[in-house]
Amino acid sequence: MHLGMVIDLKRCVGCQACTIACKSENGTPPEVLFTKVVEQVAGEYPIIKKKFIPVLCNHCQDAPCEKACPTGATSRREDGIVMVDHDKCIGCRACYVACPYKNRIFIKKGALKTGYFGRKLTPFEQVKYPKWQEGVVSKCTFCVERVDQGLEPSCVQTCPADARIFGDLSDPESKVSRLIRQRGGYQPLSENNTEPSVYYLE
Amino acid sequence: MAKTMPLVGNEFVAGFRLQTEWAGLIAAAFFFGKIGAGLFLMSLYTGSKVGALTGLLIVLIGKGGAHLLYLGRPERFWRGLTRPRTSWVARGFWAMMIMAVAGVIYLAAPAGTAVWWVFQVIAGLSAFFVAVYDGFLMNSSPAIPLWNTALMPVLCLFYSLLGGTSLSLFLLHVGAVGLAIGPDFLANLELTLILTNLIVVIIYLLSMTSATAAARESLRLLLRGPYALAFYSLVIGIGLVFTFLLSYLAGVESGAGVVSLITAADLVGHFFIFFLLLRVGVYSPVLGKLSI
């Protein structure tokens, strides 16, 4: 099995619901976004075009972050999901610099003390923050806890435009494989030969 | 990839993005690693035990300390030794450890014995590795095209040798060491290395003009953007041109004051070239330019 995601750029409306769903599911501290939608604008008023590009960890099959990690904290599961073991991470940020997509996040010291609302953590933050550590690098896991229960990642489930599709890339009959085949899905920065598990459709 | 994509600070806008994680402390670690390893190597050549000890201490305290201060979890630093098969960080860590152990044994062993010879070779090889591995570390990152070039280890090697030569001359002129070779040789070596470094820097920059759009954006920041003043004044002006002119016109025989000035100028240029190369590292945009 090789889990991956297809993102249909024609469908994305830039609502950032995936960004919020990810934060809600993972309870990440301020400034930590495992996924987000970046926007690109071309032209000048009144002839203008705007494109929304959802980005997240690409779970590369030849992941430079995994090679760069000096501790083995970054590893790849059999289903292709790239994980970070926070207990092994030393916070050297070699993986951060090695990721061509800049989709790794360093959790700064003090980030887990104040939360979003200043002096005190909210009850939600008190429940969610114990799973994070300060001074280490973290990233999207395709919501591995959900995937292991047979569910889709939170961003996929939330997307109102059905722009994100999750599935098994190794199964030629899966929806993701068919979409890639039929609509010419392409990997971001494929020239780096990192074999991302995320494909984009134009 | 179009060169008109913007350099963006807002993380919700597509475009070139600056590398922001590796900066001052990593530049300091690279700097101390290279000058310490360079001094150690030069001291093996010149037969100066004080120089070798100084080089070893610069690597261990300067480089090791800067790395420890930078780590998010310094108490787990030992874990950084576990993946030398794929990680240049781990390989560098191992090289530092081997250099420290072999260097101490070499310094403690009686000169001319088998132990002295063996550990001199091991310490020398590991010091060479410490001098160049930063270049391989930067070169191994496909994310930052400015660093992703085989010239990076070459740049590291020549800067390391220049730093080591400058520090050897400095230690000689302040009376801290006696050398087995003449100071004239070191002075000529210094001049040669300054010119070599200038040529390597120029070749490196020229090679980037035909590299990817992200590399060219880095080059723009370095040569025409906000970092240009620091690059031209500190790296080229003080670090290479001033050092060369002072070495050539005044010469190291002018006394300890002039040698101190030459060494200080060289070290300023040495620190800032790698600091600036780290600061102007730019990531490519995830997708290409949008067109109407």
Side-chain angles (χ1 to χ4, degrees):
Chain A
M1 183 181 274
H2 173 194
L3 295 173
M5 191 180 288
V6 169
I7 296 174
D8 189 341
L9 297 175
K10 274 191 177 158
R11 284 176 173 262
C12 180
V13 293
C15 67
Q16 302 282 1
C18 50
T19 311
I20 301 303
C22 174
K23 290 218 63 100
S24 173
E25 172 68 27
N26 292 295
T28 51
E31 297 181 28
V32 176
L33 297 166
F34 290 163
T35 187
K36 59 186 176 251
V37 182
V38 300
E39 54 185 61
Q40 203 175 24
V41 181
E44 284 181 18
Y45 179 83
I47 304 166
I48 198 162
K49 194 171 174 184
K50 195 170 196 176
K51 183 161 73 174
F52 299 105
I53 309 165
V55 293
L56 71 163
C57 171
N58 291 287
H59 296 273
C60 304
Q61 296 311 287
D62 192 8
C65 56
E66 188 188 4
K67 287 181 193 162
C69 178
T71 68
T74 298
S75 61
R76 202 158 40 84
R77 303 195 333 169
E78 282 192 0
D79 57 11
I81 297 179
V82 177
M83 299 289 293
V84 179
D85 183 343
H86 294 155
D87 291 330
K88 285 185 181 173
C89 180
I90 58 175
C92 69
R93 284 159 268 181
C95 57
Y96 187 110
V97 173
C99 173
Y101 312 98
K102 210 182 177 190
N103 279 330
R104 287 188 157 240
I105 312 276
F106 180 68
I107 302 178
K108 291 175 187 160
K109 288 183 179 162
L112 301 176
K113 291 192 174 66
T114 53
Y116 268 94
F117 300 97
R119 286 170 294 180
K120 201 176 161 191
L121 296 182
T122 63
F124 173 77
E125 288 165 339
Q126 286 173 28
V127 170
K128 291 289 190 180
Y129 281 13
K131 80 182 220 186
W132 305 116
Q133 289 185 28
E134 293 175 357
V136 302
V137 171
S138 195
K139 66 171 204 68
C140 158
T141 62
F142 273 159
C143 290
V144 71
E145 301 90 346
R146 292 174 58 90
V147 169
D148 285 346
Q149 293 176 54
L151 301 170
E152 291 181 319
S154 187
C155 57
V156 176
Q157 190 205 27
T158 299
C159 181
D162 216 8
R164 294 182 183 232
I165 305 102
F166 185 73
D168 184 3
L169 293 168
S170 64
D171 175 5
E173 294 310 312
S174 68
K175 189 176 179 185
V176 284
S177 295
R178 278 190 283 116
L179 279 169
I180 292 166
R181 205 166 50 238
Q182 289 164 2
R183 292 185 49 196
Y186 63 93
Q187 296 161 310
L189 297 178
S190 55
E191 65 271 25
N192 286 328
N193 297 318
T194 58
E195 286 299 318
S197 301
V198 174
Y199 287 74
Y200 288 94
L201 305 176
E202 290 281 0
Chain B
M1 197 75 66
K3 60 185 174 185
T4 50
M5 291 274 280
L7 179 73
V8 293
N10 182 339
E11 63 178 320
F12 287 93
V13 179
F16 294 110
R17 289 171 196 284
L18 273 175
Q19 179 286 124
T20 51
E21 285 299 316
W22 280 6
L25 278 171
I26 291 293
F30 285 3
F31 169 73
F32 286 123
K34 279 194 283 294
I35 63 166
L39 178 58
F40 188 85
L41 284 170
M42 288 307 298
S43 301
L44 292 187
Y45 183 64
T46 58
S48 164
K49 285 211 165 187
V50 175
L53 179 64
T54 310
L56 202 58
L57 290 175
I58 290 173
V59 170
L60 287 178
I61 299 170
K63 183 176 174 63
H67 277 310
L68 271 181
L69 284 173
Y70 178 74
L71 289 183
R73 288 284 180 159
E75 74 277 11
R76 299 176 188 163
F77 78 96
W78 56 272
R79 285 189 179 276
L81 287 162
T82 53
R83 288 280 296 274
R85 199 172 57 82
T86 60
S87 166
W88 277 102
V89 173
R91 288 169 191 162
F93 198 178
W94 269 107
M96 270 179 68
M97 291 290 179
I98 294 170
M99 183 187 167
V101 174
V104 167
I105 296 173
Y106 155 72
L107 288 169
T113 60
V115 173
W116 183 84
W117 274 111
V118 168
F119 283 95
Q120 184 184 36
V121 171
I122 295 171
L125 287 174
S126 50
F128 179 82
F129 194 84
V130 170
V132 297
Y133 100 91
D134 300 341
F136 285 106
L137 174 62
M138 292 171 82
N139 171 34
S140 68
S141 170
I144 316 282
L146 182 74
W147 307 344
N148 193 212
T149 161
L151 278 171
M152 198 53 89
V154 180
L155 196 63
C156 287
L157 176 64
F158 282 112
Y159 262 97
S160 178
L161 292 177
L162 177 60
T165 309
S166 295
L167 283 173
S168 294
L169 275 169
F170 173 74
L171 290 175
L172 176 70
H173 279 81
V174 296
V177 298
L179 303 181
I181 61 167
D184 287 348
F185 174 79
L186 275 184
N188 290 332
L189 182 63
E190 166 117 347
L191 282 172
T192 310
L193 283 170
I194 294 169
L195 279 179
T196 310
N197 276 17
L198 188 60
I199 292 166
V200 173
V201 169
I202 290 168
I203 291 172
Y204 169 70
L205 296 177
L206 283 175
S207 73
M208 285 299 132
T209 58
S210 55
T212 65
R216 292 199 304 273
E217 178 65 17
S218 292
L219 209 56
R220 186 193 67 77
L221 290 170
L222 189 67
L223 302 180
R224 287 180 282 126
Y227 300 99
L229 181 63
F231 179 73
Y232 290 122
S233 60
L234 299 173
V235 177
I236 302 296
I238 292 176
L240 294 171
V241 176
F242 176 74
T243 314
F244 180 80
L245 291 177
L246 204 58
S247 303
Y248 185 71
L249 298 175
V252 294
E253 62 274 9
S254 301
V258 172
V259 174
S260 304
L261 200 57
I262 292 170
T263 309
D266 169 47
L267 296 184
V268 165
H270 189 152
F271 175 81
F272 277 100
I273 187 169
F274 289 96
F275 176 73
L276 292 173
L277 288 179
L278 289 174
R279 290 306 297 258
V280 301
V282 166
Y283 293 90
S284 299
V286 174
L287 297 184
K289 189 186 173 236
L290 182 66
S291 54
I292 294 284

